[in-house]
């Protein structure tokens, strides 16, 4: 069945509720957990990895409590935290062999698995490089490889593209999409484009709660506001920004181009546009996340 079921999941720290009454069911595919920093994404993921015990609620894998499953559940799990530890002097190969031994893989099976994974993440030519010499993108690729060592049924990735350049982010998205064909992948991020093109379902999280969720098409079709393209002057643009939610501002030689969210046409020359995930985020949360825009 391969089903991860969250029911009434809540986590409190000294009176502060970090995750609040989250209920959701996930199966095979990519699930994008989108929200600003501090939304509760990492706390939720740490509970799914059994690193934190919920204050309330349950997490079931195929109907069985993951905390009662203990090691049986952890063998099904691959986890890439925002910051993963490594010994700087280890080579890539030695590091992966070390992690494989911790996960209980035999030497022969580990060597075979590492060879496959290094090719899959594009690091086969770097296996003899020391971890301390790797770029940020290369370290994240090694991080994906270590998370995949046990061929997990559940792959949990916390901000896997943080600090990467656009080319590395695209590479990661393609890799994650490939890895999701036979497993459940939960990807946490504050960068809209990381989930917009690869997530089967998207969960928008704010202040510990899942505000809205569903496929991209479902979420965009349910937007309470429409998206309008408006060309205006710099002076008038300030007025639009005070009156409406504006998801994009671009300065052009002939004036200012705005992407405006409004229930009705904001001006006569406004052109209706197709909504995008970033527009949805702005609609629900009143702020834009991820990539920066040109400002006035």
């Amino acid at each position: 069945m391969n089903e991860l079921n969250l029911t009434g999941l809540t986590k409190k720290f000294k009176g502060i509720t970090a995750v609040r009454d989250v209920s959701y069911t996930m199966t095979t595919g990519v699930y994008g957990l989108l929200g600003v920093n501090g939304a509760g994404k990492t706390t939720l993921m740490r509970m799914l990895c059994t690193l934190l015990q919920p204050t309330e609620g349950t997490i079931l894998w195929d109907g069985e409590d993951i905390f009662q499953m203990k090691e049986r559940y952890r063998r099904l799990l691959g986890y890439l935290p925002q910051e993963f530890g490594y010994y700087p002097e280890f080579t890539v190969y030695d590091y992966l062999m070390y992690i494989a031994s911790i996960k209980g893989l035999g030497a022969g099976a580990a060597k075979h698995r590492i060879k496959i994974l290094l090719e899959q993440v594009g690091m086969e030519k770097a296996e003899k490089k020391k971890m301390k010499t790797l770029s940020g993108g290369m370290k994240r690729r090694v991080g994906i490889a270590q998370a995949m060592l046990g061929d997990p049924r559940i792959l949990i990735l916390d901000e896997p593209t943080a600090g990467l350049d656009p080319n590395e982010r695209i590479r990661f998205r393609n890799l994650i999409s490939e890895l999701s064909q036979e497993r459940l992948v939960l990807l946490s991020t504050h960068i809209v484009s990381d989930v917009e093109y690869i997530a089967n379902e998207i969960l928008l999280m704010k202040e510990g709660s899942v505000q809205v969720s569903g496929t991209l098409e479902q979420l965009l079709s349910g937007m309470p506001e429409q998206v309008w393209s408006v060309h205006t002057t710099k002076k008038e643009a300030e007025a639009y920004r005070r009156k409406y939610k504006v998801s994009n501002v671009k300065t052009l030689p002939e004036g200012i181009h705005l992407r405006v969210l409004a229930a009705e046409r904001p001006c006569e020359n406004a052109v209706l546009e197709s909504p995008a995930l970033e527009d949805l985020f702005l609609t629900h949360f009143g702020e834009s996340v991820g990539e920066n825009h040109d400002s006035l």
Side-chain angles (χ1 to χ4, degrees):
M1 184 166 59
N2 289 351
E3 183 177 276
L4 191 64
N5 183 265
L6 288 59
T7 304
L9 203 60
T10 297
K11 182 63 180 178
K12 298 179 180 178
F13 297 98
K14 297 180 179 179
I16 298 173
T17 303
V19 172
R20 187 188 309 272
D21 194 26
V22 172
S23 297
Y24 210 79
T25 298
M26 293 176 276
T27 56
T28 302
V30 179
Y31 293 81
L33 185 59
L34 181 63
V36 297
N37 292 329
K41 305 188 302 298
T42 295
T43 299
L44 176 60
M45 290 187 145
R46 287 175 66 83
M47 286 192 284
L48 295 177
C49 294
T50 71
L51 298 173
L52 287 175
Q53 188 89 26
T55 306
E56 299 171 16
T58 59
I59 307 171
L60 305 180
W61 173 253
D62 286 350
E64 192 172 356
D65 191 295
I66 66 171
F67 291 93
Q68 294 178 5
M69 291 177 68
K70 297 180 180 179
E71 191 57 37
R72 285 190 296 120
Y73 175 74
R74 284 188 280 273
R75 282 199 295 268
L76 302 171
L77 187 67
Y79 177 44
L80 175 62
Q82 288 189 47
E83 299 292 337
F84 67 94
Y86 58 87
Y87 292 104
E89 296 298 328
F90 275 23
T91 65
V92 170
Y93 179 82
D94 289 341
Y95 167 72
L96 291 175
M97 284 295 291
Y98 169 68
I99 297 298
S101 68
I102 292 176
K103 294 190 175 186
L105 273 69
K111 290 178 181 178
H112 177 69
R113 183 70 179 151
I114 288 169
K115 183 177 185 298
I116 293 173
L117 288 171
L118 286 176
E119 291 176 357
Q120 196 166 19
V121 301
M123 290 289 289
E124 66 274 16
K125 295 181 180 179
E127 67 172 35
K128 294 182 180 179
K129 289 188 176 182
K130 290 187 177 182
M131 291 293 295
K132 67 179 182 181
T133 68
L134 302 182
S135 67
M138 294 173 80
K139 286 176 183 173
R140 301 309 279 177
R141 282 191 251 165
V142 176
I144 288 276
Q146 67 81 25
M148 288 292 297
L149 274 170
D151 195 18
R153 309 308 307 156
I154 306 165
L155 185 59
I156 295 180
L157 310 171
D158 194 359
E159 300 280 0
T161 66
L164 302 187
D165 64 39
N167 286 333
E168 285 285 2
R169 292 220 313 271
I170 292 169
R171 183 188 182 95
F172 258 92
R173 291 203 297 266
N174 293 340
L175 175 59
I176 291 164
S177 185
E178 292 174 14
L179 296 175
S180 71
Q181 294 177 12
E182 298 177 351
R183 55 182 55 83
L184 187 165
V185 179
L186 178 60
L187 164 66
S188 155
T189 185
H190 65 281
I191 300 172
V192 170
S193 58
D194 280 354
V195 298
E196 188 164 19
Y197 301 109
I198 64 169
N200 302 100
E201 294 186 27
I202 299 168
L203 296 79
L204 274 69
M205 193 169 186
K206 183 180 182 183
E207 296 177 353
S209 298
V210 174
Q211 304 288 313
V212 291
S213 61
T215 65
L216 180 62
E217 292 75 16
Q218 289 170 339
L219 294 178
L220 295 183
S221 66
M223 280 182 58
E225 296 177 307
Q226 294 178 305
V227 182
W228 305 90
S229 176
V230 176
H231 291 277
T232 186
T233 65
K234 184 174 181 178
K235 183 178 179 180
E236 290 176 338
E238 292 289 356
Y240 279 106
R241 296 183 76 180
R242 286 192 295 270
K243 186 175 181 180
Y244 300 103
K245 296 172 184 174
V246 177
S247 65
N248 196 17
V249 180
K250 188 173 184 179
T251 302
L252 301 170
E254 63 273 18
I256 303 294
H257 175 265
L258 303 177
R259 190 173 175 90
V260 176
L261 275 64
E264 298 179 353
R265 188 183 299 272
C267 63
E268 288 186 6
N269 71 342
V271 177
L272 190 62
E273 299 281 355
S274 298
L277 184 56
E278 190 170 62
D279 301 314
L280 175 74
F281 196 101
L282 183 62
T283 295
H284 283 280
F285 306 132
E287 55 190 333
S288 185
V289 297
E291 286 82 15
N292 294 323
H293 301 303
D294 295 334
S295 58
L296 293 174

